């Protein structure tokens, strides 16, 4: 996983000083890849242990591994197959610790309502069907009015919003309404700091490149399925749901 990807994915764990470290490393990647730990610590008026803790939060074994990975990023920047790299980054974005927190919210909620719009709704249909089969508390809502109805009628529910940009106005308004009524909100967006992420109790991320063809957006939304499927697999393990296997003719 690239350093920038790690930094965004685990941003919820970082202190203000660690966020400044992220900005510095992103701006001086080549220099940091050659730097000694005490030099970086001195630059931030801190001690090497602070840098080591920062590395651990991002999933590195230590500063040495961070430097090695930075070097690999610089060397491989132009040589990797972009499509393969994008898919692999999504597997790296799977965060069991954060997903377990989502599952705990699932278990406490009376109802779990998924909602997305347009093309993302089609992805949601594929990704959510296994949850619906596992427990009838899960529902995929098709219309904005349905979401509003559940927000105003029920209590202690969970609303799971899917939006690649995290800036869809209708979804942002629904998320705010849900929070104002005391519901929990979980989101799945493209890897970025966006408004929906800031509203959510827990924010999950996928990674995809926004792409246009002849002025029409054709962004690959399959990465959302990777995150949803990994979430269901963990849900299945935690809830000890057995899966029936049949042979397809």
């Amino acid at each position: 996983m690239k350093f920038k990807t790690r930094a965004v994915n685990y941003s919820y764990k970082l202190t203000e000083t660690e966020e400044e470290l992220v900005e510095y490393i992103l701006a001086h990647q080549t220099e940091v890849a050659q730097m000694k730990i005490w030099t970086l610590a001195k630059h931030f008026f801190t001690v090497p242990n602070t840098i080591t803790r920062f590395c651990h939060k991002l999933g590195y074994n230590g500063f040495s591994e961070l430097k090695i990975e930075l070097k690999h990023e610089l060397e491989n920047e132009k040589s990797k197959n972009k499509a393969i790299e994008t898919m692999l980054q999504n597997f790296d974005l799977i965060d069991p610790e954060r997903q377990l927190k989502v599952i705990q919210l699932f278990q406490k909620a009376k109802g779990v309502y998924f909602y997305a719009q347009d093309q993302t709704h089609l992805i949601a249909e594929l990704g959510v069907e296994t949850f619906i089969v596992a427990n009838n508390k899960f529902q995929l809502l098709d219309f904005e009015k349905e979401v509003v109805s559940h927000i105003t009628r029920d209590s202690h529910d969970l609303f799971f919003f899917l939006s690649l940009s995290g800036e869809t106005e209708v979804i942002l308004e629904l998320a705010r309404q849900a929070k104002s009524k005391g519901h929990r909100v979980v989101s799945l967006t493209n890897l970025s700091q966006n408004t929906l992420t800031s509203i959510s109790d827990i924010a999950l991320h996928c990674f995809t490149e926004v792409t246009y063809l002849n002025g029409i957006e054709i962004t690959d939304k399959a990465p959302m399925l990777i995150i949803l499927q990994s979430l269901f697999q963990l849900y299945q393990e935690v809830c000890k749901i057995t899966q029936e296997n049949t042979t397809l003719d």
Side-chain angles (χ1 to χ4, degrees):
M1 191 190 307
K2 288 185 176 181
F3 174 79
K4 184 176 181 179
T5 304
R6 289 176 186 260
V8 176
N9 196 39
Y10 296 114
S11 60
Y12 69 100
K13 294 183 178 182
L14 303 182
T15 65
E16 186 175 337
T17 298
E18 289 167 341
E19 289 174 352
E20 292 174 2
L21 267 166
V22 168
E23 292 178 7
Y24 181 84
I25 293 171
L26 287 173
H28 304 87
Q29 188 167 335
T30 303
E31 295 90 333
V32 174
Q34 306 296 330
M35 196 177 285
K36 294 184 181 297
I37 190 170
W38 60 266
T39 303
L40 183 59
K42 185 177 179 181
H43 182 83
F44 284 88
F45 303 101
T46 187
V47 295
N49 281 347
T50 300
I51 307 299
T52 300
R53 283 195 297 272
F54 165 73
C55 294
H56 290 164
K57 285 184 180 181
L58 295 187
Y60 297 106
N61 291 328
F63 186 61
S64 295
E65 185 182 11
L66 183 149
K67 292 200 301 179
I68 291 170
E69 291 299 320
L70 287 178
K71 289 176 184 176
H72 287 166
E73 284 182 33
L74 293 168
E75 292 168 357
N76 298 333
E77 199 168 56
K78 296 181 180 179
S79 61
K80 282 188 176 180
N81 180 300
K82 201 166 187 179
I84 294 175
E85 183 184 5
T86 296
M87 297 306 288
L88 290 176
Q89 283 196 64
N90 281 282
F91 289 105
D92 288 336
L93 281 172
I94 296 170
D95 181 358
E97 179 183 341
R98 199 177 337 179
Q99 289 193 346
L100 181 58
K101 291 179 180 179
V102 173
I103 289 165
Q104 289 169 344
L105 292 183
F106 283 172
Q107 292 174 317
K108 292 177 183 177
K110 290 195 304 180
V112 179
Y113 303 105
F114 292 83
Y115 182 70
Q117 291 192 319
D118 303 324
Q119 293 180 5
T120 305
H121 184 81
L122 299 176
I123 294 297
E125 287 182 339
L126 295 173
V128 175
E129 64 180 359
T130 47
F131 287 99
I132 296 172
V133 171
N135 193 311
N136 60 15
K137 73 157 60 178
F138 295 101
Q139 292 186 46
L140 175 63
L141 304 180
D142 296 319
F143 304 105
E144 179 185 347
K145 289 182 179 179
E146 288 183 280
V147 184
V148 173
S149 175
H150 283 288
I151 289 174
T152 56
R153 185 182 64 199
D154 301 325
S155 61
H156 304 297
D157 288 328
L158 186 147
F159 290 84
F160 194 126
F161 296 105
L162 296 88
S163 168
L164 274 180
S165 69
E167 301 295 345
T168 306
E169 284 300 327
V170 170
I171 288 181
L172 293 178
E173 179 57 29
L174 291 171
R176 293 188 182 103
Q177 287 183 35
K179 290 295 291 288
S180 71
K181 293 294 184 179
H183 300 292
R184 295 297 191 124
V185 171
V186 174
S187 62
L188 174 56
T189 70
N190 202 8
L191 186 65
S192 65
Q193 296 294 345
N194 56 70
T195 307
L196 184 56
T197 292
S198 65
I199 295 172
S200 304
D201 293 290
I202 303 177
L204 302 178
H205 298 290
C206 64
F207 177 78
T208 188
E209 296 281 0
V210 179
T211 308
Y212 292 87
L213 179 63
N214 297 328
I216 299 174
E217 186 186 339
I218 57 166
T219 302
D220 182 8
K221 297 173 179 62
M224 281 187 148
L225 289 175
I226 294 174
I227 305 303
L228 287 172
Q229 184 59 25
S230 69
L231 183 63
F232 177 73
Q233 287 174 349
L234 185 57
Y235 175 76
Q236 188 176 355
E237 292 171 14
V238 171
C239 298
K240 296 181 172 58
I241 298 171
T242 57
Q243 184 174 330
E244 296 178 4
N245 294 314
T246 59
T247 302
L248 297 177
D249 294 329

